[in-house]
Structures are given as C-alpha cells and as structure tokens.
C-alpha cells in the first residue's frame, strides 16, 4: 500500500510541483530573507547576513546600542491568539447548534441550508467586510435597529474596536466551522442515538455522551480551519478594527509596506508558521495518544 | 391482567404517506418471564410494534401498558425497557465495559455497583477479558453478546430483540438461539423477540404471535401454531406444508370426507378429523405437513400419486409426487430411504385424519 507506483507519482506530480514552486520555494526564500540586513528604502541587502530581525522580536536597541526587553510584539502575538481563540469559540457556539439543526432536516431542506451557508463565498471578502462597516458604523443599521427596539439610547460606537474585528472574523469563518461539523454529525449512525435514548439517556446526555464524542473529529477539523487562518487574518482587523490594535497579519503587512523592514516581516511570518506547525503536531500527538489509550 | 409484562390493546398506526396501516388494531398480552416472539414476513408490522413498546414510535390510537402502567407518550429513556438492535448499535467510541456500563451510569448507580454489575454481565455473557476492547475489535458473535449485556445490565422489565441474530452465520445463530433461551431463563426477564425466521421462533419461544399486514394472525405456543394453524397463512408460513385444493363431500360429526379438486370419485378421498364449519359441496384447502405423509403400497389406499422426484437434504429426503387433479404432494422420508425405483411409478400415500387441517378456500 505504501509503495509509490508510477501511476501514483503521475497523478500527484502536478499538485506536488505546484506546492514546491509556490509554497516551499517562497517559504525558503522567506527563511533566507529573514536572515538578511534590511535595505534603507525597502528590500534587503543580499548577501549581508544578520540576526537583527529575530532579535527585534524580543529585544529593543536604544540609541546608544544597549539592548532591553520589549514585549510589544509578544503582546501582538498574544492578542492575535486571543482573538483567534475567541472567534473559534464563537463559531463553534453558533455553528454547532446550526449543524445539529441541519441534521434534523429532510435531505432536501438540509441541502438548501447547506447551499445558504456557502452563499457568502460567492462575494468577495473585502466587499463583505465593507458591508459590515456600513452595518456597524455609528448610526449604521445595527445602531438604528437597537435604537428602534429601545435597547440602547446611544450609538454603540463599535466600529474600529476589537469587537468589530471579532464580529467580522466570526462572520467570515462561520462556514468553515459549520461544514465539517455538519458532515461529522451527519455521518453518525442514527441507531446509536436511538440506542442511547433506549438505555436511559436524556437529550443532554445523548448529546454529551454520544453525539459530541462521535462528532469530535469534525469539531477539531472545524476549529483548526477557523483558528489557523484567523491568526493571520488581515482584512477584518484592517477594515473593521481600523488597524488600531495590530494583529500579526497587519504587522507583517506593515513590515513589507510602510515600515520597509522585509527581514523583520519575514521573521514574524516564520515564527507564526512555526507556532502553528508545532501546535498542529502537538494536537496530532495528543489525539494519537488518546486513541491508543482507549 | 395483572401478570402481563406488556399489554397492547387496539393499537393502530398508519405512517404518513402510507396507504396501508402499519398496525391495524393489534391487541396482545405478553406475560411476565415469557419468551415471546413476534413472527412475520417483512412489512407485517412486527418491528413497528416493537418500536412502539420501546417508545420510538407512538400509536395513532390504542394503549400500551408496561407492567400495568400506561406508557402513552413516555419517551424511550423513561421506559423500563431495553432493546438489542439488529445492527447492535454499540457505541464505537466506548470500550466493551463502557458500553455495558452506559445504562447503569444513566441510572446514576454508584461507581462500585456499576463495576460489579459490568463484571457480572461480562461473566454471564462470556466476555471475560474483553472489557477494554473497542466494538470494532470484536467478532460478530462477541458484538452480539456485548449488545445483549448492555441491554440486560440495568435489569429492564422487558428486553426487546429486533432480529438480533440475522447478521450471524448459521452455526453461530444456532448457538445464540440456545444462549438467548438460557439468558432468558437465568435472568427471568421478559423477552420480546422479533424475527421473520419461523424456525428461530419455534426453537426459542414460549409463545409466538404470527403477524401479517399489520394484524395478528395467531397467538400460541410453538406446537399449537405448528400443529393447529388458525388459517392458511399461518399454515404456509410456519414450517413446510402441502396445500391441497379439495371439495368437501361428506360430514360426520366433527370430521368429514374430502375429494381432491379435479379428481374422479374413485381416487383422492381424504378423511379429515376436524372439518370445522365446512359443508358438503364447499371448496377447501387441506393442509398436511410433509412429515405426516407416509408411503404405502398403492393398493392399500385411495390416495395415489405419481412419484416425480426425490430431493436429498441430508437429514431427510423429500419425495415430490403429483396427485390426481394436478396438486403436488411432498412426503418427508428418512434420509436413507431408497426411493429411486419409485420415481415415475404410481404409489400410495397415507396420513392420519388428525394430521390434516381444512380451511375454506
């Protein structure tokens, strides 16, 4: 099973070549760039190596050249992780009931809902985020609605806050949670649920003891699909967060743009990739350990 | 009826979109500590009835009482009933021990009590040493026993079994039939067993209800049903039967004399001990079990037929013969009977009058 036959190589070659050319090679280039000295007006000094980019992650050099600890960038990483985690939790809190509801529908109706879930993909991400600006801005539809309902008397002033970023990210990534969770739930044998009821479990315990454990692979897949791209999200923090509270994605973008510090941008991006790879590896390890134990 | 574990009265059910009712007014009582079987072809309503006892379906009308308490719309998790599913439906993410412990945990039993009960069930079902395995790591027969253990662990008042043996091969099925009977006797729990396999039903049951088209055709002990089928359907469905079209020619007391349809006055006269309500001149179908048909010299009987073929079946041999009027008669003979010389010859057949059941055609 494990040996590669010529046919397998031929079938996977296009994808492999594409990934090498447009994923692995740029990544290696980034590793190289991160070790170079920055050029004064953007770009790098090829062949002039230095560890300054990595030093800058944790340390700050004052005018006299003395190094001191600087937690600014760690704070940005922490903020990004927090926002990604909150977004993942929110998409799960909204997506799980939605997916559960979808499994109770007839196949035809479930297909309609499934279609509706994917409709946002048809519109450009930027356009959708601009739409949220109109909804969330002072005096926008959200404010009008809340005022009209008498829930608030003042504008919420929510646009250009982390709240707006969170709303935008949750909205953007919700389908990535719903789809894998729905697929996992749909695959559960209904007779197992009947069996659980038959053996005396009430609805809550059927959910916690049978349905959720069996849907766990889908929930984990959904969480990874939301968490990972959220961490590097650029559009929502920029447009809805107003770029005020920097996220990793915006920070990296700034290094290649206004800050003209390519090596530092490359170093930031690589650290992010490394953290993600390590956490995914850890997740896989934990899961395999759990499987072997049981 | 105070000693009924399950009392079903006038239960009707028509599924949305179905033209025929799944159950058309079924009433029956299942006694405590009884091995009761619902037997019938697919679509007869036996599984619907079982699912109603479990609480997965609700009757359109009629009542189901468990141990004297009306169940009406009580959900499955609050009924003192557990089910062994056809597909076993074992929880794949739990070990064997966790599967068996599930219902006990739902009941909130203390940890020690659960552990003791699980160990007891594993011993009873000969699953020792398999407690940590996952269902996927077990053979079909072992999975079957885990499903039984899981359903029996909380000591339900009634255990429902939905064709649980159909996925097993013949040898294992025979073993499990004996095993189920043993379990039922040892636990003293009422078993309600659903099957389409008449042999299985006769082997294990204290009583059998034969169902067809959403109605109960006959309820009785296996011997009653086999020897005295209430109607033609039951006679045909249970065991093997010769169905002989005939005309009633004479009545004397309970008994009567019949002539095979299409036969002349000279041959084919059959004496029947219990002719029921049939009157002379009425057409009827006579039912005779092949094992009650004996081979006799042609000149000693008025029932003669031409032997067509002999089918050897190991333990016995089935001789097929055509009777006057065109009906076929099967006679079950010992496996070592030598009938090759008879094939193509006219031979005599005989069976006692009480071996024949007569039904109006």
């Amino acid at each position: 099973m494990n040996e590669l036959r010529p046919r397998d190589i031929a079938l996977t070659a296009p994808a492999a070549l594409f990934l090498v050319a447009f994923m692995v090679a740029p990544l290696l280039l980034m590793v190289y760039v991160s070790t170079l000295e920055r050029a004064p007006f953007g770009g790098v000094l090829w062949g002039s190596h230095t560890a300054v980019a990595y030093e800058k992650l944790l340390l700050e050099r004052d005018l006299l050249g003395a190094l001191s600890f600087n937690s600014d960038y760690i704070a940005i990483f922490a903020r990004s992780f927090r926002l990604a985690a909150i977004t993942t939790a929110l998409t799960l809190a909204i997506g799980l009931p939605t997916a559960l509801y979808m499994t109770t529908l007839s196949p035809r109706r479930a297909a309609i809902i499934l279609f509706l879930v994917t409709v946002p993909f048809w519109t450009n991400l930027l356009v959708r985020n601009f739409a949220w600006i109109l909804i969330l801005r002072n005096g926008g539809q959200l404010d009008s609605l809340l005022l009209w309902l008498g829930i608030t008397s003042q504008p919420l002033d929510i646009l250009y806050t982390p709240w707006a970023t969170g709303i935008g990210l949750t909205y953007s990534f919700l389908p990535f949670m719903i789809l894998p969770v729905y697929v996992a739930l749909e695959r559960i044998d209904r007779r197992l649920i009947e069996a659980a009821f038959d053996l005396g479990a009430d609805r809550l315990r059927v959910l916690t003891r049978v349905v959720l454990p069996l849907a766990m692979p889908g929930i984990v897949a959904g969480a990874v699909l939301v968490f990972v791209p959220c961490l590097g999200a650029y559009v929502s923090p920029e447009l809805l967060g107003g770029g005020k509270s920097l996220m990793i994605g915006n920070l990296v973008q700034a290094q290649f743009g206004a800050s003209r510090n390519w090596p530092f941008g490359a170093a930031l991006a690589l650290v992010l990739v490394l953290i993600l790879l390590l956490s995914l590896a850890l997740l896989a390890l934990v899961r395999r350990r759990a499987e072997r134990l049981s | 009826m105070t000693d009924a574990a399950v009392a079903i009265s006038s239960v009707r059910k028509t599924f949305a979109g179905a033209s025929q009712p799944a159950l058309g007014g079924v009433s029956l009582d299942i006694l405590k500590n009884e091995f009761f079987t619902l037997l019938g072809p697919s679509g007869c309503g036996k599984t619907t009835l079982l699912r109603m006892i479990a609480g997965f379906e609700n009757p359109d009308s009629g009542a189901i009482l468990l141990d004297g308490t009306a169940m009406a719309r009580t959900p499955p998790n609050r009924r003192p009933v557990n089910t062994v599913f056809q597909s076993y439906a074992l929880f794949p993410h739990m070990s064997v021990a966790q599967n068996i412990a599930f219902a006990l945990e739902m009941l909130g039993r203390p940890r020690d009590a659960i552990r003791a009960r699980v160990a007891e069930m594993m011993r009873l079902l000969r699953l020792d040493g398999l407690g940590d395995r996952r269902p996927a790591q077990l053979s079909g027969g072992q999975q079957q026993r885990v499903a039984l253990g899981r359903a029996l662990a909380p000591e339900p008042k009634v255990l429902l079994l939905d064709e649980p043996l159909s996925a097993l091969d013949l040898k294992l099925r025979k073993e499990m039939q004996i095993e189920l009977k043993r379990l039922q006797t040892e636990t003293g729990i009422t078993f309600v067993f659903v099957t389409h396999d008449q042999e299985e039903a006769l082997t294990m049951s204290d009583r059998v209800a034969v169902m067809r088209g959403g109605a109960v055709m006959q309820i009785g002990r296996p011997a009653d049903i086999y020897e005295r089928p209430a109607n033609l359907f039951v006679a045909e469905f249970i065991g093997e039967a010769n169905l002989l079209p005939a005309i009633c020619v004479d009545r004397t007391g309970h008994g009567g004399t019949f002539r095979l349809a299409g036969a002349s006055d000279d041959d084919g006269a059959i004496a029947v001990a219990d002719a029921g309500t049939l009157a002379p001149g009425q057409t009827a179908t006579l039912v005779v079990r092949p094992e009650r048909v004996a081979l006799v010299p042609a000149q000693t009987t008025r029932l003669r037929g031409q032997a067509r073929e002999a089918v050897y079946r190991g333990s016995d041999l089935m001789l097929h013969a055509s009777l006057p009027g065109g009906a076929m008669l099967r006679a079950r003979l010992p496996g070592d009977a030598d009938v090759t010389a008879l094939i193509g010859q006219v031979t005599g057949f005989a069976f006692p009058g009480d071996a024949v059941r007569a039904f109006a055609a």
Side-chain angles (χ1 to χ4, degrees):
Chain A
M1 275 310 277
N2 283 329
E3 71 185 287
L4 275 178
R5 288 168 302 168
R7 198 187 62 187
D8 299 333
I9 294 169
L11 284 172
T12 50
L17 285 175
F18 185 90
L19 282 177
V20 168
F22 297 103
M23 176 85 193
V24 177
L27 205 60
L28 293 175
L29 189 63
M30 290 280 275
V31 174
Y32 184 67
V33 165
S34 72
T35 66
L36 294 175
E37 196 177 329
R38 64 184 282 203
F41 303 104
V44 288
L45 297 173
W46 295 97
S48 170
H49 291 277
T50 166
V52 163
Y54 291 96
E55 180 188 290
K56 195 170 152 76
L57 285 170
L58 294 175
L59 302 170
E60 188 173 38
R61 199 178 285 269
D62 64 19
L63 289 171
L64 299 172
L67 286 171
S68 58
F69 181 69
N70 173 11
S71 65
D72 286 358
Y73 298 116
I74 295 176
I76 292 173
F77 268 85
R79 187 190 298 147
S80 298
F81 272 91
R82 195 173 61 229
L83 192 66
I86 291 172
T87 304
T88 307
L90 281 176
T91 52
L92 184 61
I94 301 169
L96 184 62
T98 311
L100 277 171
Y101 167 71
M102 283 163 69
T103 59
T104 65
L105 300 174
S106 67
R108 223 176 68 90
R109 286 180 163 214
I112 292 172
I113 303 272
L114 212 54
F115 168 75
L116 291 177
V117 166
T118 56
V119 159
F121 290 134
W122 298 18
T123 315
N124 184 284
L125 183 68
L126 278 169
V127 175
R128 284 183 280 146
N129 274 280
F130 271 117
W132 275 107
I133 293 182
L134 298 180
I135 295 170
L136 297 178
R137 68 180 172 166
N138 273 355
Q141 278 87 340
L142 181 66
D143 274 343
S144 313
L145 181 72
L146 292 178
L147 283 172
W148 182 73
L149 288 171
I151 295 171
T152 58
S153 53
Q154 306 239 302
L156 282 177
D157 212 5
I158 199 176
L159 189 61
Y160 306 135
T161 65
W163 286 99
T165 310
I167 290 173
L169 287 175
T170 304
Y171 160 79
S172 300
F173 288 108
L174 189 55
F176 294 99
M177 181 62 85
I178 292 179
L179 294 177
V181 172
Y182 171 68
V183 169
L185 289 173
E186 187 57 34
R187 269 181 30 201
I188 296 176
D189 188 342
R190 298 297 169 90
R191 289 169 295 193
L192 296 179
I193 295 166
E194 276 194 352
F197 275 120
D198 185 73
L199 292 163
D202 54 26
R203 282 163 161 273
L204 184 67
R205 284 192 288 188
V206 170
L207 188 69
T208 56
R209 294 293 304 273
V210 177
V211 175
L212 291 185
L214 289 174
M216 202 41 85
I219 293 172
V220 170
V224 169
L225 282 179
V226 171
F227 186 82
V228 171
C230 235
L231 209 48
Y234 171 71
V235 173
S236 291
E238 186 73 20
L239 294 182
L240 300 175
K244 281 193 293 189
S245 49
L246 277 178
M247 298 289 152
I248 303 174
N250 311 85
L251 185 63
V252 171
Q253 192 272 342
Q255 303 313 313
F256 285 94
S259 301
R260 294 180 184 170
N261 194 345
W262 288 19
F264 186 50
L268 284 169
L270 284 174
V271 168
L272 181 60
V273 168
L274 274 179
I275 293 176
L276 283 177
L277 284 180
L278 281 176
S279 16
L280 287 181
L282 200 69
L283 189 69
L285 201 73
V286 168
R287 207 192 298 176
R288 196 171 310 162
R289 169 90 45 97
E291 257 163 38
R292 202 174 313 142
L293 273 182
S294 52
Chain B
M1 288 284 278
T2 50
D3 53 351
V6 184
I8 294 162
S9 60
S10 315
V11 162
R12 287 173 194 282
K13 175 81 180 181
T14 307
F15 287 108
S19 54
Q20 295 285 316
L23 291 173
V26 169
S27 299
L28 53 88
D29 285 332
I30 297 166
L31 306 181
K32 278 183 186 147
N33 199 6
E34 186 172 41
F35 198 123
F36 192 91
T37 297
L38 300 168
L39 172 68
S42 60
C44 72
K46 58 189 191 294
T47 298
T48 304
L49 192 59
L50 193 81
R51 289 176 59 81
M52 275 183 187
I53 301 172
F56 295 124
E57 310 279 355
N58 284 311
D60 295 340
S61 65
I64 293 176
L65 281 75
L66 288 176
D67 209 23
T69 311
M71 282 294 129
R73 295 193 177 253
T74 310
N77 52 318
R78 289 205 223 113
R79 295 188 182 208
V81 170
N82 290 128
T83 307
V84 177
F85 293 85
Q86 186 169 12
S87 59
Y88 313 147
L90 297 175
F91 302 126
H93 59 296
M94 297 181 197
S95 68
V96 166
Q98 286 170 325
N99 265 282
I100 296 175
F102 188 85
L104 301 169
E105 286 173 26
M106 295 303 115
L107 288 169
R109 297 269 172 83
R111 232 168 235 284
D112 291 345
I114 292 177
R115 202 171 301 128
R117 180 69 180 154
V118 168
E120 189 189 337
M121 294 316 296
M122 305 258 292
R123 206 163 39 245
L124 184 67
L125 288 150
R126 297 196 225 109
L127 289 164
D128 298 280
L130 299 177
D132 294 330
R133 297 270 188 96
R134 289 293 179 100
Q137 296 169 304
L138 302 178
S139 71
Q142 289 168 333
Q143 289 183 24
Q144 166 79 78
R145 295 210 293 276
V146 176
L148 272 166
R150 185 179 69 170
L152 282 171
E155 292 178 88
K157 294 231 165 70
V158 179
L159 183 77
L160 307 176
L161 303 106
D162 184 10
E163 307 215 19
L165 306 183
S166 57
L168 303 177
D169 62 51
L170 184 67
K171 191 164 174 288
L172 205 51
R173 196 155 69 221
K174 299 274 183 207
E175 283 173 24
M176 280 309 293
Q177 288 174 4
I178 310 294
E179 180 99 7
L180 277 177
K181 188 70 199 159
R182 171 184 75 92
L183 274 175
Q184 196 267 326
T185 317
E186 277 181 29
T187 57
I189 291 171
T190 305
F191 277 32
V192 182
F193 188 91
V194 158
T195 184
H196 61 266
D197 183 331
Q198 44 94 14
E199 195 195 329
E200 206 164 271
L202 297 182
T203 307
M204 293 186 289
S205 316
D206 294 320
R207 285 195 307 151
V208 179
V210 185
M211 294 182 68
R212 178 206 197 181
V216 174
M217 297 280 106
Q218 186 174 4
I219 300 178
R221 294 182 299 114
D224 292 337
I225 286 181
Y226 187 80
E227 299 294 344
R228 286 177 292 283
N231 54 45
L232 213 49
F233 171 78
V234 175
E236 241 187 309
F237 192 74
I238 309 284
E240 288 177 282
N242 289 299
L243 304 181
L244 309 173
I247 300 158
C248 181
V249 290
D250 191 23
R251 287 297 307 260
T252 44
H254 282 303
T257 309
F258 289 74
R259 200 181 62 229
L260 289 174
S264 68
D265 286 348
D266 286 346
D267 46 27
I270 296 164
V272 174
D274 181 0
T277 58
L278 290 160
Q282 237 183 313
T283 57
T285 302
L286 304 181
V287 176
V288 192
R289 301 285 179 200
E291 67 269 25
R292 305 297 295 271
V293 179
L295 213 53
V296 294
Q299 56 273 24
T300 62
T301 176
R302 290 177 66 193
L303 183 64
R304 284 179 283 270
Q306 189 179 25
R308 294 284 187 187
E309 59 177 333
V311 179
Y312 179 66
R313 306 196 301 183
S315 60
D316 58 24
L317 183 142
M318 198 68 92
L319 183 68
H320 296 242
S322 58
L323 298 177
M328 291 299 294
L329 182 73
R330 284 169 299 163
R332 191 159 149 193
L333 307 172
D336 58 356
D338 186 11
V339 292
T340 38
L342 287 177
I343 303 301
Q345 302 299 311
V346 170
T347 180
F349 295 96
F351 37 79
D354 63 0
V356 191
R357 301 279 299 167
F359 300 103

